[in-house]
């Protein structure tokens, strides 16, 4: 169908995901619903067929790993790896996304705890939080209880949030964001430079990091105006004391351009693809 072709096209050049179709969609919906109870308990030991993948973040100057982003993967017994781009929107249709994010959060804490127990070093890791999460009154207390449960410090985690969470600037959303920051979590604005991005967010939101969206990075080599705009933006972000990281770096030329305009860290297939957690831990350990 046209939809299948479109989704396949969207994913070509990304990872080796299989074709997305209605069958997967319906099956996934059912399966996710069935597992909802389990996930709702956010039992990090539950085997949901879901896995944490980690994509390294690197220093552009020497490509050394400085962090990692946790990206969810669904391993289908016959269909292989299914992209979160296919199941996250489904989960976002309901509060299921809240449970799913919390499962990822708890698993990430468990990973940090296990590494510490085994004496294996880990950098700060980032977790994606859906905008939906900010509708939950217990967000801050849940996050704090969970890190405590695993003996992890909030500062070992960074929470990535897209601006869709703040579209209406509801007081309670801002309050929760402040609560997380005061608790010691690092906060990153994800996918900056697309959608409705407004400089207003930068002034009003308590953020540590701004992630430049990969569409912006992709335009860099094509267009001189794109790099002028990004250079201005990076200078501005720097003055406002945000850390900046560029997403979706695929070409060597992009690295030089980004460094030339003051961007010091990045993430992208050129350096590393997302990998199973164990592979990441080994990679990071080998670099220390
Ligand atoms: P995101 O948070 O912006 O994550 C970055 C996405 O870009 C990831 O896609 C990553 O694999 C991909 N990427 C990284 N480097 C490159 C590159 O050089 N080129 C290209 N073309 N892509 C690159 P992924 O893993 O498919 O995730 C898609 C989106 O799904 C994420 O976008 C995030 O919004 C969402 N997502 C993933 N895991 C979770 C989760 O646990 N919770 C929530 N709420 N959302 C998640
Ligand atoms: Mg992200
Ligand atoms: Mg992003
Ligand atoms: Mg993105």
């Amino acid at each position: 169908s046209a939809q299948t072709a479109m989704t396949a096209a969207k994913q070509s050049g990304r990872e080796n995901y299989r074709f997305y179709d209605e069958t997967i969609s319906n099956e996934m919906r059912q399966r996710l619903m069935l597992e909802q109870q389990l996930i709702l308990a956010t039992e990090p030991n539950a085997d949901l067929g879901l896995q944490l993948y980690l994509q390294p973040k690197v220093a552009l100057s020497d490509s050394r790993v400085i962090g990692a982003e946790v990206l969810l993967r669904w391993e289908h017994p016959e269909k292989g790896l299914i992209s979160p781009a296919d199941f996250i929107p489904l989960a976002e249709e309901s509060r299921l996304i809240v449970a799913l994010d919390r499962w990822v959060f708890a698993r990430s804490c468990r990973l940090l705890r296990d590494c510490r127990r085994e004496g294996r070093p880990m950098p700060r890791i980032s977790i994606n939080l859906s905008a939906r999460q900010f509708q939950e009154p217990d967000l801050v207390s849940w996050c704090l209880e969970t890190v405590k449960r695993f003996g992890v410090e909030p500062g070992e985690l960074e929470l990535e949030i897209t601006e869709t969470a703040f579209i209406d600037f509801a007081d309670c959303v801002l309050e929760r964001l402040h609560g997380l920051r005061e608790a010691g979590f690092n906060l990153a604005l994800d996918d900056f430079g697309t959608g409705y991005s407004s400089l207003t967010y930068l002034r009003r939101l308590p953020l540590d990091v701004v992630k430049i969206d990969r569409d912006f990075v992709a335009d860099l080599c094509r267009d001189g105006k794109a790099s002028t705009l990004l250079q201005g933006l990076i200078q501005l972000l720097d003055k406002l004391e945000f850390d900046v990281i560029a997403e979706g770096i695929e070409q060597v030329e992009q690295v030089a351009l980004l460094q030339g305009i003051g961007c010091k860290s990045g993430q992208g297939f050129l350096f590393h693809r997302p990998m199973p957690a164990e592979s990441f831990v080994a990679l990071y350990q080998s670099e220390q």
Side-chain angles (χ1 to χ4, degrees):
S1 72
Q3 199 200 347
T4 308
M6 245 174 59
T7 313
K10 254 198 334 217
Q11 289 174 0
S12 68
R14 297 186 78 184
E15 294 181 60
N16 299 321
Y17 298 130
R18 300 303 174 84
F19 287 91
Y20 174 66
D21 60 36
E22 284 300 310
T23 330
I24 298 182
S25 169
N26 290 334
E27 189 186 329
M28 191 143 32
R29 204 183 300 260
Q30 271 175 13
R31 183 175 171 139
L32 286 174
M33 289 306 156
L34 267 178
E35 285 166 343
Q36 187 161 17
Q37 290 309 313
L38 250 185
I39 310 175
L40 276 174
T42 54
E43 178 44 66
N45 295 313
D47 184 6
L48 305 173
L50 295 167
Q51 294 174 17
L52 302 190
Y53 268 49
L54 273 73
Q55 184 180 33
K57 298 182 179 188
V58 302
L60 295 182
S61 58
D62 58 5
S63 305
R64 278 176 72 90
V65 178
I66 54 169
E69 175 175 7
V70 178
L71 294 159
L72 194 54
R73 294 290 180 267
W74 190 44
E75 175 95 62
H76 190 284
E78 291 118 43
K79 294 176 177 104
L81 280 187
I82 298 173
S83 164
D86 289 332
F87 63 85
I88 294 285
L90 272 181
E92 274 180 335
E93 289 172 13
S94 70
R95 280 185 70 248
L96 179 54
I97 187 65
V98 175
L100 213 52
D101 279 352
R102 290 186 179 192
W103 184 84
V104 172
F105 186 107
R107 271 273 167 141
S108 302
C109 291
R110 194 181 77 170
L111 176 65
L112 290 173
R113 182 202 63 189
D114 290 348
C115 286
R116 164 142 353 109
R117 279 186 182 166
E118 293 160 16
R120 309 173 79 186
M122 276 291 271
R124 178 180 295 155
I125 63 178
S126 310
I127 298 165
N128 289 284
L129 282 191
S130 160
R132 275 259 189 176
Q133 208 65 242
F134 286 83
Q135 308 300 322
E136 301 297 308
D138 73 338
L139 175 64
V140 180
S141 59
W142 186 88
C143 289
L144 270 174
E145 275 160 29
T146 306
V147 289
K148 216 182 211 171
R149 183 171 146 209
F150 288 97
V152 166
E153 296 298 326
E156 295 178 74
L157 295 174
E158 180 173 282
L159 306 174
E160 296 190 5
I161 308 146
T162 58
E163 62 196 10
T164 50
F166 316 111
I167 292 292
D168 60 359
F169 274 116
D171 284 346
C172 60
V173 170
L174 273 182
E175 216 170 89
R176 281 164 204 156
L177 201 62
H178 279 285
L180 288 172
R181 188 119 183 281
E182 274 153 29
F185 293 100
N186 293 275
L187 301 180
L189 186 60
D190 205 351
D191 302 341
F192 187 78
T194 58
Y196 298 98
S197 284
S198 147
L199 297 179
T200 307
Y201 294 117
L202 299 178
R203 188 168 62 81
R204 298 191 53 181
L205 302 177
L207 299 165
D208 304 282
V209 180
V210 173
K211 298 192 77 180
I212 307 290
D213 191 76
R214 72 161 176 271
D215 286 350
F216 231 125
V217 174
D219 284 343
L220 268 185
C221 296
R222 292 189 206 127
D223 177 353
K225 277 188 181 163
S227 85
T228 306
L229 186 63
L230 192 55
Q231 179 166 27
L233 189 60
I234 287 174
Q235 282 167 0
L236 183 78
L237 292 169
D238 193 52
K239 283 218 179 81
L240 294 171
E241 298 183 338
F242 294 114
D243 285 333
V244 175
I245 179 161
E247 294 190 282
I249 302 174
E250 293 182 350
Q251 297 161 14
V252 189
E253 303 78 62
Q254 290 168 337
V255 180
L257 277 165
L258 284 164
Q259 283 187 284
I261 59 176
C263 182
K264 297 188 185 68
S265 27
Q267 190 180 347
F269 293 172
L270 174 68
F271 300 102
H272 301 280
R273 288 184 170 250
M275 58 185 80
E278 176 53 36
S279 309
F280 176 81
V281 177
L283 170 70
Y284 190 71
Q285 195 167 14
S286 76
E287 282 195 5
Q288 298 316 296

